[in-house]
Amino acid sequence: MKYSSEFQSVCQIDKRKWILVVVLVAVTHLFCQTLMLPYGNALHSLLSESNIQLPEKVSLSSKESSVVESTKVGESFSGTLSSFDDVHMLAHRLKTVDNGDVSEDGEIDESVNEKDEVKPHSNHSVVKTMENDSDFVEDAILENDNLFDEVVDMDEETTTQKNNESRRDLSLEQVVKTNGELSADSELDANRNSVLNDTKAASVTNSSSVVASNQLDNLPLVTIGEINFIRTTSNNSSTGDLTQLLPNHGNHSLVQSTVKKKMRCMLPPKTVTSISQMERLLVRHRARSRAMRPRWSSERDKEILAARLQIENAPLLRNDRELYAPAFRNMSMFKRSYELMERILKVYVYKEGEKPIFHQPIMKGLYASEGWFMKLMEGNNRFVVKDPRKAHLFYLPFSSRMLEHSLYVHNSHNRTNLRQYLKDYSEKIAAKYRFWNRTGGADHFLVACHDWAPYETRHHMEHCIKALCNADVTLGFKIGRDVSLPETYVRSARNPLRDLGGKPPSQRKVLAFYAGNMHGYLRPILLEHWKDKDPDMEIFGPMPSGVASKMNYIQHMKSSKFCICPKGYEVNSPRVVEAIFYECVPVIISDNFVPPFFGVLNWDTFSLILAEKDIPNLKSILLSIPENKYLEMQLAVRKVQRHFLWHAKPVKYDLFHMTLHSIWYNRVFQTKAR
């Protein structure tokens, strides 16, 4: 009994000691948190009705920084965050930027929304009728899906510019500094060319639920620049947008300020590649192939390498009855290459793929180039073979326009399902056939005329030869491998040559002409300098709709010496081919644009290519061209016109053959022996 009472007293002493130790540890922990947390007293943060005090002065180190007074966290959000899970969901949404994701190479990819089903529409044809301005992308705001597509990848020696800083993950201590300054990445706001055109003002409120300080420490956070990047996808969206987290000194609430941001397509490019630089890149890539060495040898490769030897040693031709020599970089090589293409080239067209995305061409409107090539290629008995083992090239017959029409969810601002669809298709081809795997797709080609095609075919079709209307060197267009496809606006599918031709030079009284919608940043600049400023410069905005207006537009092109072809949202414009169609000397104003068939045609002989900064001096530049030089250029336009025409049945040297030849020509100089 004595020992039992002694044991109980010892246990009571030990209990008191343990309780004392626990209390000391708890007090020490709370004291340490009080010192470490940027929000102040940790004990207060544990109380549901307590208010967490922000530092006295919080400043944004962005372009338009603001200094604000202290406020309460419970009042600093105007939305609904009912639980800690809601906070995590909000932070994740901010971080991923409207379901955005960071791919393995650091570029921004939009992820597929689970609600978006990748199902093509019913099998039907879409003919998009345009007005006079045919650069139009039907949903202009969709251009901000290209916001982070600014990849400059001209060659191995060229600096690749990636906008990775827009997705940097920062901890709460990095965003809200303990010295009282809320740091936003000023470079992110100052240098980012790819941001929203008009971010809507919105806010999110923090409810009175318990949010512990240690939970706030572990909260996944984003920069203020990323917060500004969030946008509303619909008017009745249930997710609030954040534009700025700025405490208001007067009423301790958010300052709902709208920050005007501009899309990438509404700002000049960061870098400019001149035509002379493009020509140097072409020469270097011709001499040094960047294509992947095939995994095993093929008789077709040997035939291509033999053809290359003949092309490089082609007999010199000074004059030709069929071709206009000055319009070509090297007419002798072109002539020999074209003859060899007609003699030996065989193409296999994959049968896989369902309509309307595959095997259903669009023959009219803005995207007619990809449709006409598809129709004429699939129906060609001269080049197409049924046995893929006999093919030198493999054609992926999809329509980028029908891909957008069938799969894109209107106003979703998410195109990842389009790219995923093509990725699945290419993987299906690679799994079923061995030809893709032999070269990594280097002997495969695609023809696409949609503005989104560079994005849709990135990564999984990166080694393919891409014939693209949107031939922008800052969007990954590879000079010497890819082909700049002419964007042709076909007004009549039954008669694509309707209204062909124009007035002779002596009857062209107008110095320069342009009319069209104000797409992009460049056209408003053009009108600002020249609209209603000079009678010799007929520079207009959008022309009225209707047949009479269209005919008036055509007559203006037929009667003008120079037709101004400024870029729209993207670098390409159908006006380049329209000008040639109506025998008007095209004046291309589009930085980083690779002109059609750049590998074989000498554009200096039949066009003017001006830098965007030269718009204020446009008239003086045009007047500085001597009359005899203009006559030579106008003659060259008429001579090369045949290379930019579609025919129901392909004609030698026409647009179909020129496109196929450019693909063949680039493949010849990219082929490597095993």
Side-chain angles (χ1 to χ4, degrees), residues 645-662:
L645 304 178
W646 294 111
H647 299 272
K649 293 183 178 180
V651 177
K652 191 173 184 178
Y653 299 125
D654 69 351
L655 185 46
F656 168 75
H657 285 101
M658 288 294 291
T659 302
L660 184 60
H661 173 268
S662 292

Side-chain angles (χ1 to χ4, degrees), residues 437-507:
N437 297 325
R438 190 182 77 88
T439 62
D443 52 359
H444 289 58
F445 71 92
L446 58 95
V447 178
C449 201
H450 199 281
D451 286 349
W452 295 352
Y455 169 84
E456 295 164 349
T457 58
R458 188 183 300 164
H459 304 316
H460 51 280
M461 295 182 177
E462 197 58 35
H463 298 294
C464 298
I465 301 172
K466 303 177 184 179
L468 303 172
C469 290
N470 190 4
D472 187 344
V473 294
T474 67
L475 292 183
F477 184 91
K478 305 296 190 304
I479 297 175
R481 187 203 66 186
D482 296 335
V483 174
S484 180
L485 178 69
E487 184 174 6
T488 57
Y489 182 51
V490 177
R491 300 181 184 277
S492 172
R494 292 187 177 182
N495 182 16
L497 304 183
R498 189 177 69 185
D499 299 321
L500 179 66
K503 295 182 179 180
S506 59
Q507 298 180 25

Side-chain angles (χ1 to χ4, degrees), residues 216-232:
L216 289 172
D217 280 339
N218 296 324
L219 178 66
L221 290 167
V222 292
T223 62
I224 295 300
E226 288 172 323
I227 292 173
N228 290 339
F229 190 77
I230 300 302
R231 60 188 181 271
T232 304

Side-chain angles (χ1 to χ4, degrees), residues 377-395:
M377 186 78 260
E378 291 193 315
N380 195 290
N381 295 323
R382 181 171 193 170
F383 297 109
V384 175
V385 291
K386 296 182 179 180
D387 186 355
R389 293 171 297 180
K390 298 179 180 179
H392 302 89
L393 290 168
F394 298 82
Y395 175 40

Side-chain angles (χ1 to χ4, degrees), residues 2-69:
K2 175 182 179 180
Y3 294 107
S4 176
S5 61
E6 290 179 356
F7 179 75
Q8 289 179 359
S9 63
V10 170
C11 289
Q12 289 177 358
I13 294 173
D14 288 342
K15 285 182 180 178
R16 288 195 292 269
K17 288 181 179 180
W18 279 111
I19 292 173
L20 180 61
V21 169
V22 170
V23 171
L24 288 175
V25 170
V27 171
T28 305
H29 175 69
L30 292 175
F31 179 73
C32 291
Q33 282 193 335
T34 304
L35 294 178
M36 295 174 63
L37 283 178
Y39 290 119
N41 196 313
L43 184 60
H44 285 184
S45 68
L46 297 175
L47 303 177
S48 60
E49 296 182 359
S50 297
N51 294 322
I52 306 170
Q53 298 294 328
L54 281 175
E56 278 237 328
K57 290 189 177 181
V58 181
S59 63
L60 291 179
S61 58
S62 59
K63 195 173 182 180
E64 297 180 358
S65 61
S66 301
V67 178
V68 291
E69 298 296 329

Side-chain angles (χ1 to χ4, degrees), residues 352-547:
E352 286 71 19
E354 298 179 357
K355 294 181 179 181
I357 296 174
F358 297 88
H359 313 292
Q360 182 164 309
I362 298 175
M363 308 299 291
K364 181 181 177 182
L366 182 64
Y367 309 99
S369 289
E370 64 179 23
W372 275 86
F373 183 88
M374 182 190 298
K375 177 180 174 62
L376 298 177
M377 186 78 260
E378 291 193 315
N380 195 290
N381 295 323
R382 181 171 193 170
F383 297 109
V384 175
V385 291
K386 296 182 179 180
D387 186 355
R389 293 171 297 180
K390 298 179 180 179
H392 302 89
L393 290 168
F394 298 82
Y395 175 40
L396 306 170
F398 72 91
S399 165
S400 57
R401 171 64 181 101
M402 293 307 301
L403 179 69
E404 177 254 335
H405 171 75
S406 302
L407 299 185
Y408 178 72
V409 180
H410 189 62
N411 284 335
S412 69
H413 313 295
N414 189 330
R415 298 168 298 151
T416 308
N417 58 334
L418 280 65
R419 185 163 69 175
Q420 184 63 39
Y421 190 85
L422 290 184
K423 183 176 184 292
D424 294 341
Y425 169 75
S426 62
E427 290 175 349
K428 179 181 178 181
I429 294 295
K432 185 174 181 179
Y433 300 91
R434 62 192 180 104
F435 309 104
W436 179 285
N437 297 325
R438 190 182 77 88
T439 62
D443 52 359
H444 289 58
F445 71 92
L446 58 95
V447 178
C449 201
H450 199 281
D451 286 349
W452 295 352
Y455 169 84
E456 295 164 349
T457 58
R458 188 183 300 164
H459 304 316
H460 51 280
M461 295 182 177
E462 197 58 35
H463 298 294
C464 298
I465 301 172
K466 303 177 184 179
L468 303 172
C469 290
N470 190 4
D472 187 344
V473 294
T474 67
L475 292 183
F477 184 91
K478 305 296 190 304
I479 297 175
R481 187 203 66 186
D482 296 335
V483 174
S484 180
L485 178 69
E487 184 174 6
T488 57
Y489 182 51
V490 177
R491 300 181 184 277
S492 172
R494 292 187 177 182
N495 182 16
L497 304 183
R498 189 177 69 185
D499 299 321
L500 179 66
K503 295 182 179 180
S506 59
Q507 298 180 25
R508 292 178 177 264
K509 304 302 181 182
V510 178
L511 178 63
F513 167 72
Y514 167 78
N517 289 337
M518 295 295 97
H519 297 145
Y521 65 87
L522 190 66
R523 297 181 185 180
I525 297 175
L526 177 67
L527 264 65
E528 179 184 353
H529 283 89
W530 296 109
K531 186 177 186 297
D532 300 327
K533 299 294 177 63
D534 193 301
D536 294 331
M537 305 286 287
E538 294 194 350
I539 308 298
F540 308 111
M543 299 188 75
S545 59
V547 177

Side-chain angles (χ1 to χ4, degrees), residues 234-437:
S234 62
N235 291 335
N236 58 354
S237 174
S238 61
T239 305
D241 291 346
L242 297 178
T243 54
Q244 282 186 333
L245 291 176
L246 292 176
N248 189 321
H249 175 63
N251 55 10
H252 304 289
S253 63
L254 277 181
V255 177
Q256 298 183 359
S257 58
T258 302
V259 181
K260 295 287 184 178
K261 298 291 185 180
K262 291 190 176 181
M263 298 180 289
R264 180 193 62 80
C265 62
M266 297 302 294
L267 290 170
K270 290 181 179 179
T271 60
V272 176
T273 305
S274 65
I275 292 296
S276 59
Q277 290 174 315
M278 294 180 188
E279 290 172 345
R280 288 194 293 271
L281 288 173
L282 178 63
V283 172
R284 183 156 67 245
H285 294 166
R286 284 278 186 264
R288 186 186 63 209
S289 171
R290 298 176 299 166
M292 185 185 86
R293 195 176 300 278
R295 296 176 62 185
W296 62 84
S297 60
S298 167
E299 289 297 321
R300 308 289 83 80
D301 287 348
K302 295 177 182 178
E303 293 173 357
I304 291 178
L305 291 171
R308 175 175 176 173
L309 189 62
Q310 293 187 54
I311 293 170
E312 292 176 332
N313 296 281
L316 183 64
L317 295 176
R318 297 189 180 278
N319 294 299
D320 188 88
R321 288 180 295 179
E322 295 181 296
L323 299 173
Y324 184 65
F328 291 87
R329 294 184 178 276
N330 189 318
M331 188 186 67
S332 301
M333 292 179 64
F334 172 81
K335 181 87 172 179
R336 187 60 176 151
S337 175
Y338 191 93
E339 292 171 350
L340 291 171
M341 178 192 73
E342 289 185 315
R343 187 196 309 171
I344 70 173
L345 176 61
K346 300 301 176 185
V347 177
Y348 180 75
V349 181
Y350 285 109
K351 305 297 188 235
E352 286 71 19
E354 298 179 357
K355 294 181 179 181
I357 296 174
F358 297 88
H359 313 292
Q360 182 164 309
I362 298 175
M363 308 299 291
K364 181 181 177 182
L366 182 64
Y367 309 99
S369 289
E370 64 179 23
W372 275 86
F373 183 88
M374 182 190 298
K375 177 180 174 62
L376 298 177
M377 186 78 260
E378 291 193 315
N380 195 290
N381 295 323
R382 181 171 193 170
F383 297 109
V384 175
V385 291
K386 296 182 179 180
D387 186 355
R389 293 171 297 180
K390 298 179 180 179
H392 302 89
L393 290 168
F394 298 82
Y395 175 40
L396 306 170
F398 72 91
S399 165
S400 57
R401 171 64 181 101
M402 293 307 301
L403 179 69
E404 177 254 335
H405 171 75
S406 302
L407 299 185
Y408 178 72
V409 180
H410 189 62
N411 284 335
S412 69
H413 313 295
N414 189 330
R415 298 168 298 151
T416 308
N417 58 334
L418 280 65
R419 185 163 69 175
Q420 184 63 39
Y421 190 85
L422 290 184
K423 183 176 184 292
D424 294 341
Y425 169 75
S426 62
E427 290 175 349
K428 179 181 178 181
I429 294 295
K432 185 174 181 179
Y433 300 91
R434 62 192 180 104
F435 309 104
W436 179 285
N437 297 325

